[in-house]
RNA sequence: GCCCAGAUGGCGGAAUUGGUAGACGCGUUGGUCUCAAACACCAAUGGGGAUGACCCGUGCCGGUUCGACCCCGGCUCUGGGUACCA
């Protein structure tokens, strides 16, 4: 029998489906293991060879864990709401539901060909009402809760209302948008509408006026991740800053817990670092500066209270609410002009002018509480309204931004820490001896900072404070293709739809663009509202809404009374291994953790972190090929000779190039432009140039997995993707190397069959050398899988086969097949059955776990050489 | 600017974490088979050297050590994250 991968793979994929080999259920007699891939957004382009990399790695790990005896949950689904389908709909009128369905089918057929062990009975799609019912439900719960800092968890909003009724804001320690103070009497005297407005200051899902990235062309709000260099990531349209009423999630309430939780996770240090920076905790002092000639006290935040003797001016953000109050009559015009200018400046311009210093003097002064000196107050957009208090004390000698500002406006620069040369630049380091600083003079910076915290509190000037860079997540999008909000409006007040009315189903529409009035597409739906006629919210939820709790839904995907059943959640708990791209570090991976912690507070889930271990697979880059056209002709010169001509580099389809040698006929046929091409060859061949670039259509370097599966088989594809290099590293795809892996599988096959195709497995006893090779390989492969070092385990298999020579003994080949099964499930399943086994190789025991395969006496343990354990 | 990761043959990458650098695969060269080609198989393959015991080699400079791709100090370059966060 020949190694006919096409037949073998087709046969077993059908068989696995028929027997439901990969279906799993709660089984309290076995230990669980949950392996999850980041589910894909099904784009119209289909999968290229880079996409399945992480899926293959997690599939190998799942199959391995199953062989080791675990009950493995390994599901897959689709993140199906999103902008591309909507953009396509606006352009073509094709309903996003239709294109999404088509794309999903395409993805599914591509994935099926690779032989994954997913339990498809658990598939979820975020755009289906049965699924987004629970996205809406979670939102309602957030709407119905606030964050209680004393309990350090979310609490029912009813409890907050009760507190207001009894004692107003007295004794409250809760997360809020802004500090409010009112008494019980004041609260009780408020109208329903006023009370509801106040509550938005505390709810975990709330409405507020915020500066947002508004993209006029897309007609929607974008989060920072969706904007790059002032342009939208999708489409590349200009984005401007705009004040709008938006729904937000109070992620900041969980900042400290999100930070603390990182310590317990098995994530890479770099990923944890990205999240820490994103959360951006900093400890400093809140301080009040008296405004000269007024009873106002300007509140600022600083991490360097030790430099107070070097303060020579104050700066407030253009959006600071006191700007006009602090501006004197003679400076009024200049300040107003400045405010007008900053308002007009878009995000894009700000970035372009990032080094340009601008600002204006208000005419007012603060009093330095330590020196009693008067210091001028400026307005400048280098101070952000959204961080700290929107006002700073400026120390030009020790802050580079303050330094640039002081130089520009000729403000004095007083050094208070020894070490730098302030005639050249500021000295920002937190190290050195204090000078010119009254009571601090002579101390080290490290001593001065804590001393000042005490001093500030003692003198009643302010207190120690922790700030976070993390912002609340903007949660509404002015789009159609997303989850509708379970919110209706009555008398302009937002009310939750009752839970038993969920899901609020996204209505069908024909025109997907914004209305002429700039309203979201849902404004086109005539009866979009409650039965009583109250209008629903017109926005829909953003992409991260549906992806924040999908890992929980997989545990119990068809439950229609809860997001996840208690029994299911307590068995599967959380994700043991999560595999996906690093690009979600500050988006999905923050929001999911937040969402999970909220559900944890509600008692709906039993683990406070969703993803225990996380592995980021690297990106697979494209390897492009070039031909060199002699300028002004239709002649193409081979790489080695191109320096003799003036040439132009042109991308050529990698599929008509093999080992950098161009297929001349295929090139002539590739495009009419090249039909009459002439070539200047070297050694009778046309050698192409190459470069590593992003895999994309425009570079003609896209390789489709279907093509590889058709020509080499799924097993070869799986093994080769792993062989390319370390999983977490970015690396180029190069189809040329694939023969080596394919050859390995053929050689493995022909241990079982001879060249004439006759079954040729012997029952002879293996030699000691053969057993040593086998067990060395078992040990190595197992260690490599546990360390996600799949490339070296593939090498180990190849070495093993080389060492075994032409050994065809069952006692060696059978355990080797089990060892290989996670990597190449089809070929091993076939051989496993040829060996006479009835059940699937998926249910075999991993060699090391199976005593039958361990011949103790013949197994040579590693010996100590120079104090190291090694095999002889 | 700041933070993180990395740099090893013609190419992708190994090196049991301080102990024979270049495993494994690709490519290349030579050979066997064939009328021929493809497939397959065998051999060689870091550089230099009269192709022999020898010398030089892990981005660059220095250090620690009996011994350094690995540890320490200083640079250079590449990739990624972040950007007025006070």
């Amino acid at each position: 029998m020949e190694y006919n991968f096409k037949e073998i793979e087709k046969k077993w994929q059908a068989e696995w489906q028929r027997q439901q080999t990969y279906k799993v259920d709660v089984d309290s007699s076995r230990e669980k293991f949950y392996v999850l891939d980041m589910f894909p957004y099904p784009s119209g382009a289909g999968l290229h060879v880079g996409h399945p990399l992480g899926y293959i790695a997690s599939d190998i790990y799942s199959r391995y864990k199953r062989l080791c005896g675990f009950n493995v949950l390994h599901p897959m689904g689709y993140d199906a709401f999103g902008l591309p389908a909507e953009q396509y709909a606006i352009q073509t009128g094709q309903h996003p539901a239709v294109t999404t369905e088509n794309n999903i089918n395409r993805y599914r057929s591509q994935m099926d060909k690779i032989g994954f062990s997913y339990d498809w009975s658990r598939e979820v799609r975020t755009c289906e009402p049965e699924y987004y019912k629970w996205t809406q439900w979670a939102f309602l719960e957030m709407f119905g809760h606030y964050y209680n800092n004393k309990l350090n968890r979310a609490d029912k909003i009813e409890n907050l209302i009760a507190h207001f009724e009894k004692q107003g804001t007295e004794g409250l320690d809760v997360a809020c948008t802004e500090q409010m103070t009112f008494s019980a009497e004041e609260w009780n005297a408020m109208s329903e509408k006023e009370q509801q407005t106040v509550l938005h200051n505390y709810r975990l899902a709330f409405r507020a006026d915020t500066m947002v990235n508004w993209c006029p062309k897309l007609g929607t709000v974008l989060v920072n991740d969706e904007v790059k260099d002032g342009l939208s990531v999708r489409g590349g349209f200009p984005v401007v800053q705009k004040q709008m009423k938006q729904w937000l999630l109070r992620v900041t309430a969980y900042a400290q817990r999100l930070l603390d939780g990182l310590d317990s996770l098995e994530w890479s240090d770099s990923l944890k670092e990205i999240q820490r920076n994103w959360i951006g905790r900093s400890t400093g002092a809140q301080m009040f500066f008296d405004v000269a000639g007024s009873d106002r006290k300007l509140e600022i935040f600083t991490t360097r209270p030790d430099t107070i003797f070097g303060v020579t001016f104050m700066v407030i953000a253009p959006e600071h609410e006191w700007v006009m109050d602090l501006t004197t009559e003679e400076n009024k015009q200049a300040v107003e002009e400045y405010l007008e200018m900053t308002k007009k400046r878009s995000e894009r311009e700000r970035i372009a002018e990032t080094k340009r210093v601008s600002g204006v003097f208000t005419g007012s002064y603060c009093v330095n509480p330590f020196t009693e000196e008067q210091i001028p107050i400026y307005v400048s957009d280098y101070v952000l309204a959204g961080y700290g208090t929107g006002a700073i004390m400026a120390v030009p000698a020790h802050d580079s931004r303050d330094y640039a500002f002081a130089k520009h406006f000729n403000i004095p620069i007083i050094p208070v820490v020894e070490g730098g040369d302030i005639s050249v630049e500021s000295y920002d380091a937190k190290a050195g001896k204090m000078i010119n600083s009254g009571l601090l003079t002579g101390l080290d910076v490290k001593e001065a900072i804590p001393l000042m915290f005490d001093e500030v509190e003692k003198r009643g000037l302010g207190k120690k404070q922790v700030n976070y860079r993390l912002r609340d997540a903007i949660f509404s999008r002015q789009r159609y293709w997303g989850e509708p909000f379970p919110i209706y409006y009555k008398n302009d007040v937002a009310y939750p739809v009752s839970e038993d009315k969920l899901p609020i189903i996204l209505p069908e529409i024909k025109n997907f663009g914004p209305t002429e009035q700039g309203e979201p597409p849902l404004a086109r739906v005539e009866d979009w509202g409650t039965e009583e006629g109250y209008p629903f919210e017109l926005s829909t939820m953003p992409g991260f809404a549906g992806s924040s709790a999908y890992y929980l839904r997989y545990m119990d995907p068809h439950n229609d009374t809860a997001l996840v059943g208690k029994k299911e959640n307590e068995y599967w708990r959380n994700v043991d291994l999560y595999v996906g791209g690093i690009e979600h570090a500050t988006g999905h991976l923050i929001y999911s953790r937040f969402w999970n912690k909220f559900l944890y507070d509600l008692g709906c889930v039993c683990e406070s972190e969703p993803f225990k271990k996380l592995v980021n697979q690297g990106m697979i880059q494209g390897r492009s090929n070039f031909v060199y056209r002699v300028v002004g002709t239709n002649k193409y010169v081979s790489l080695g000779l191109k320096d003799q001509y003036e040439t132009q580099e042109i991308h050529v389809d990698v599929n008509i190039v093999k080992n950098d040698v161009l297929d001349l006929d295929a090139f002539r046929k590739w495009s009419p432009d090249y039909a009459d091409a002439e070539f200047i060859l070297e050694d009778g061949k046309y050698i192409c140039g190459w470069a590593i670039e992003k895999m994309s259509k425009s570079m003609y370097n896209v390789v489709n997995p279907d093509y590889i599966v058709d020509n080499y088989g799924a097993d070869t594809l799986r093994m080769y993707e792993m062989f390319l290099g370390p999983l977490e590293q970015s690396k180029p795809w190069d189809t040329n190397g694939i023969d080596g892996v394919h050859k390995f599988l053929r050689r493995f096959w022909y241990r079982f069959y001879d060249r004439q195709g006759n079954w040729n497995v012997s029952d002879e006893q293996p030699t000691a050398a053969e057993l040593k090779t086998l067990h060395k390989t078992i040990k190595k492969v197992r260690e490599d899988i546990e360390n996600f070092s799949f490339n070296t385990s593939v090498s180990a298999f190849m070495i093993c086969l080389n060492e075994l020579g032409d050994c065809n003994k069952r006692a060696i080949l059978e355990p080797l097949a089990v060892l290989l099964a996670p990597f190449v499930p089809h070929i091993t399943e076939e051989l496993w059955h040829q060996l006479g086994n009835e059940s699937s190789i998926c249910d075999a025991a991993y060699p090391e776990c199976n005593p039958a395969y361990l011949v103790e006496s013949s197994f040579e343990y590693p010996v100590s050489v120079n104090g190291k354990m090694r095999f002889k």
Side-chain angles (χ1 to χ4, degrees), chain A residues 111-129:
Chain A
M111 285 197 273
D112 280 349
K113 282 187 177 182
I114 302 174
F116 292 125
S117 60
Y118 294 126
D119 176 358
W120 282 107
S121 72
R122 292 173 181 266
E123 179 193 299
V124 300
R125 299 179 182 189
T126 57
C127 65
E128 286 186 346

Side-chain angles (χ1 to χ4, degrees), chain A residues 569-850:
Chain A
N569 181 251
E570 277 173 359
Y571 180 71
W572 298 112
R573 309 193 72 83
N574 58 2
V575 177
D576 293 284
L577 172 68
Y578 198 23
V579 179
I582 187 103
E583 66 272 18
H584 297 107
T586 56
H588 163 63
L589 288 174
I590 291 265
Y591 300 130
S592 280
R593 293 182 60 219
F594 156 75
W595 204 283
N596 186 83
K597 282 182 190 301
F598 171 69
L599 294 174
Y600 179 78
D601 285 354
L602 296 192
C604 294
V605 303
C606 58
E607 292 283 352
S608 64
E609 286 289 343
F611 315 119
K612 243 193 269 182
K613 183 179 172 71
L614 188 140
V615 172
N616 291 119
Q617 87 276 19
M619 218 188 13
I620 297 229
Q621 297 145 313
R623 189 181 187 278
S624 313
N625 276 114
F626 301 107
V627 293
Y628 302 93
R629 176 159 65 195
V630 178
V631 170
T633 70
N634 205 12
K635 274 190 185 168
Y636 299 84
V637 58
S638 185
L639 179 68
L641 305 171
K642 81 178 171 80
D643 292 342
Q644 299 167 23
Y645 302 84
E646 194 190 335
T647 58
Q648 179 190 6
E649 191 176 74
I650 297 170
H651 275 99
V652 61
D653 190 342
V654 292
N655 294 302
I656 59 170
V657 177
K658 187 157 193 209
N659 287 321
D660 292 336
V661 177
L662 181 67
D663 181 334
L664 301 181
D665 288 335
F667 181 70
R668 289 200 182 94
K669 280 182 207 140
W670 186 41
S671 153
D673 295 350
Y674 305 128
D676 309 319
E678 293 175 55
F679 302 96
I680 302 168
L681 307 175
E682 53 184 315
D683 302 332
K685 292 183 286 196
Y686 188 99
I687 311 291
C688 297
W690 60 273
I692 304 303
E693 299 176 299
K694 196 177 139 91
M695 196 173 276
S696 89
K697 265 186 189 161
S698 62
M699 315 274 194
Y700 297 108
N701 60 8
V702 176
V703 180
N704 188 311
D706 298 351
Y707 171 85
I708 304 292
V709 169
D710 288 347
N711 287 278
Y712 298 92
D715 285 336
T716 300
L717 172 71
R718 292 168 62 104
M719 205 166 193
Y720 185 56
E721 292 234 2
M722 292 302 105
F723 186 63
L724 276 177
L727 182 62
E728 306 199 45
Q729 190 175 301
S730 284
K731 53 216 173 255
W733 176 268
D734 184 357
T735 305
N736 291 322
I738 204 166
D739 286 335
V741 166
H742 190 64
K743 252 188 263 180
F744 165 80
L745 290 180
R746 286 174 52 92
R747 280 167 57 209
F748 185 65
W749 180 265
Y750 289 114
R751 290 300 138 97
F752 295 76
Y753 289 95
D754 66 17
R755 292 287 156 188
Q756 283 72 47
N758 300 314
W759 182 249
N760 190 32
V761 173
S762 120
D763 283 324
E764 256 179 274
Q765 284 303 304
T767 65
E770 285 165 345
L771 282 168
K772 181 177 157 187
T773 295
L774 172 68
H775 289 293
K776 187 175 77 176
T777 307
I778 292 171
K779 183 173 187 291
K780 170 77 175 148
V781 169
R782 182 159 197 181
E783 278 172 8
D784 284 347
I785 293 179
E786 292 287 4
N787 293 323
F788 295 87
S789 178
F790 298 111
N791 56 324
T792 51
S793 47
V794 175
S795 294
F797 285 126
M798 293 176 174
I799 294 167
C800 176
L801 219 52
N802 287 345
E803 282 184 13
L804 286 175
D806 46 17
C807 167
N808 63 342
K809 295 167 187 165
R810 185 187 180 108
I812 298 293
L813 294 180
E814 187 164 317
L816 206 51
V818 178
L819 199 62
L820 269 163
F823 292 82
V824 285
H826 309 87
I827 184 175
T828 48
E829 183 82 282
E830 173 67 24
L831 292 169
W832 179 250
H833 282 82
Q834 297 288 340
L835 284 165
N837 294 292
E838 290 291 326
S839 61
S840 169
I841 197 169
C842 299
D843 295 319
Y846 203 69
E848 206 179 24
C849 310
N850 186 347

